[in-house]
Amino acid sequence: MIFVTGGAGYIGSHTCVELLNAGHDVTVFDNFCNSQPEALRRVERITCKQLHVIKGDICNLAEMKHALQISGAHAVIHFAGLKAVGDSEEHPLQYYENNVKGTLTLLQAMMSCGIKTIVFSSSATVYGIPKFLPYTEAHPLAATNTYGQTKLTVEHMLHDLYRSDTAWHIGILRYFNPVGAHASGLIGEDPQGTPNNLMPFVAQVAVGRREFLNVWGNDYDTPDGTGVRDYIHVVDLALGHLAALNRLQTQAQCLTANLGTGIGYSVLDMVRAFEQACSKPIPFQFSPRRAGDIASYFADPKLAAELLNWQAKRDLATMCQDTWRWQSQNPLGYSSV
Ligand code: NAD
Ligand code: WQD
């Protein structure tokens, strides 16, 4: 049994599909603060398998212990947390509470239940301003915002835990920019309010929910002046978690790996690829740079290939086609039903 915190969210729901398809039993633990139970019903529809679902908060030790005990889990994939960079600057304590205290509480509950396998959702944001590219896992770490600081703090916590007890099996996965949706079009990213991230914003322009895209900056030192990122299909990312679980099964360890493609695309590359996928123009205007943005970053994915025997396979066209299928079939996300 795999216990998935935040399993109703964007990456969690796609990972649940792959776990169920691979024959695992799955318990989802989520407080639905940024997701809807409908996502889990759709995971069951896609896979024709049942999930166990427990509503609860990772910050509540008693709830966590009880949920882990009744689930009979032997491993945890830990997605639950808050993820909006701007919001984290406005509400730092909420981010420390959910991301740091929440993870601490989860680890305490795991320890008391004798569960010592965890895969943690970290982020490329822990590398901060690039000193060199592509980012390897050995790149210096320096978060530039509160959200990133919470991820870095949890990484330190996990290393300290492993140093104290080398019987733990810990996988720290640093995601680059997840985009795309399940090929069925039944699950996908469903941001609340105005999307912060590029791909959901572009998709909402395409479906008519927004008039035009603001391209934040066209004067960066990049081939076309717009920001460059390593976009990774969410299904590839989900499969990276299964690969990490497999690897962790072989021996106790604390591993860290980038999950990215190694390819950088600019904002304009993304707009053009999306126009191809949805067969309509995406109106956009150039606007000043967004505070805190970095010109360009992308992953060195070699270590993940070596350690996990995993690499991203889905290309940019597939990322855009799958996002468009999800968005056009569910113009208002899960609230469309
Ligand atoms: P998401 O918001 O869609 O999913 C997070 C889930 O966790 C939601 O279902 C939410 O309801 C739940 N949750 C939040 N706080 C909780 C709490 N205290 N108790 C129980 N459940 C709680 O986010 P996502 O995009 O699926 O991201 C998953 C993880 O990956 C997060 O930890 C995020 O920081 C990390 N990450 C995301 C990205 C990205 O761009 N999406 C990139 C790098 C890392
Ligand atoms: C991508 C590019 C923008 C929106 C964030 C977090 C990071 C990680 C992934 C969690 C940039 C440009 C965007 C728009 C635009 N999350 N853009 N107009 O900033 O690379 O990463 O999400 O761990 O921590 O910081 O992703 O999708 O916001 O931006 O021009 O309306 O698109 O300037 O160049 P980012 P993003």
Side-chain angles (χ1 to χ4, degrees):
M1 173 68 75
I2 313 286
F3 191 91
V4 182
T5 74
Y10 173 44
I11 305 170
S13 56
H14 288 81
T15 303
C16 286
V17 167
E18 300 308 324
L19 287 168
L20 290 170
N21 280 342
H24 293 285
D25 283 325
V26 178
T27 296
V28 167
F29 185 86
D30 204 303
N31 66 359
F32 301 103
C33 69
N34 196 36
S35 56
Q36 299 194 35
E38 174 64 17
L40 298 176
R41 290 193 279 275
R42 298 206 184 175
V43 167
E44 293 181 331
R45 214 168 118 194
I46 292 168
T47 57
C48 299
K49 294 194 175 152
Q50 277 210 315
L51 286 165
H52 305 266
V53 180
I54 301 174
K55 185 172 178 187
D57 193 316
I58 54 166
C59 297
N60 183 320
L61 183 61
E63 263 176 31
M64 278 293 355
K65 274 192 196 167
H66 181 65
L68 281 172
Q69 262 154 11
I70 61 169
S71 72
H74 69 277
V76 173
I77 306 183
H78 177 36
F79 294 107
L82 304 179
K83 63 167 179 176
V85 172
D87 192 38
S88 79
E89 293 294 287
E90 278 174 49
H91 306 287
L93 299 185
Q94 283 178 21
Y95 278 70
Y96 279 97
E97 165 115 19
N98 268 277
N99 296 2
V100 178
K101 181 185 164 197
T103 306
L104 174 64
T105 307
L106 168 66
L107 292 169
Q108 288 168 331
M110 288 175 67
M111 195 127 97
S112 79
C113 298
I115 304 168
K116 291 193 173 178
T117 300
I118 183 166
V119 176
F120 170 63
S121 301
S122 191
S123 166
T125 194
V126 298
Y127 294 121
I129 304 196
K131 297 215 185 304
F132 57 82
L133 286 172
Y135 286 135
T136 65
E137 288 77 358
H139 186 283
L141 303 176
T144 56
N145 55 64
T146 303
Y147 167 72
Q149 196 60 52
T150 65
K151 291 290 174 189
L152 205 44
T153 305
V154 171
E155 288 202 10
H156 290 316
M157 202 193 296
L158 291 168
H159 281 291
D160 291 345
L161 179 61
Y162 181 72
R163 247 200 352 267
S164 76
D165 177 0
T166 51
W168 277 81
H169 305 238
I170 298 172
I172 296 170
L173 302 181
R174 295 182 180 147
Y175 312 157
F176 281 68
N177 288 52
V179 296
H182 189 262
S184 62
L186 285 170
I187 57 173
E189 189 169 11
D190 183 19
Q192 308 303 300
T194 308
N196 298 309
N197 297 117
L198 177 65
M199 188 65 130
F201 202 106
V202 168
Q204 290 193 9
V205 172
V207 85
R209 279 173 70 178
R210 319 248 159 219
E211 221 179 310
F212 60 87
L213 170 74
N214 282 299
V215 176
W216 306 124
N218 64 343
D219 57 353
Y220 285 110
D221 184 15
T222 59
D224 65 18
T226 66
V228 167
R229 297 289 182 275
D230 184 335
Y231 297 92
I232 174 169
H233 195 296
V234 66
V235 173
D236 282 327
L237 194 64
L239 290 167
H241 293 74
L242 275 74
L245 278 180
N246 277 341
R247 167 74 195 200
L248 291 176
Q249 240 179 9
T250 61
Q251 66 182 88
Q253 60 198 301
C254 181
L255 68 83
T256 302
N258 288 337
L259 295 187
T261 65
I263 303 169
Y265 288 111
S266 73
V267 176
L268 294 183
D269 289 335
M270 299 303 286
V271 169
R272 286 189 207 105
F274 208 90
E275 286 177 335
Q276 288 286 315
C278 69
S279 308
K280 49 174 114 174
I282 304 291
F284 68 86
Q285 68 175 30
F286 291 120
S287 302
R289 293 179 179 194
R290 185 172 64 176
D293 267 356
I294 290 170
S296 174
Y297 67 78
F298 44 93
D300 183 335
K302 278 202 284 295
L303 188 68
E306 279 167 34
L307 273 184
L308 311 181
N309 193 23
W310 167 93
Q311 64 182 47
K313 298 211 166 87
R314 290 161 180 80
D315 63 9
L316 181 58
T318 308
M319 297 180 208
C320 293
Q321 285 154 11
D322 290 343
T323 302
W324 179 235
R325 191 175 306 106
W326 153 252
Q327 188 71 71
S328 54
Q329 289 178 16
N330 307 271
L332 300 176
Y334 294 112
S335 309
S336 305
V337 289

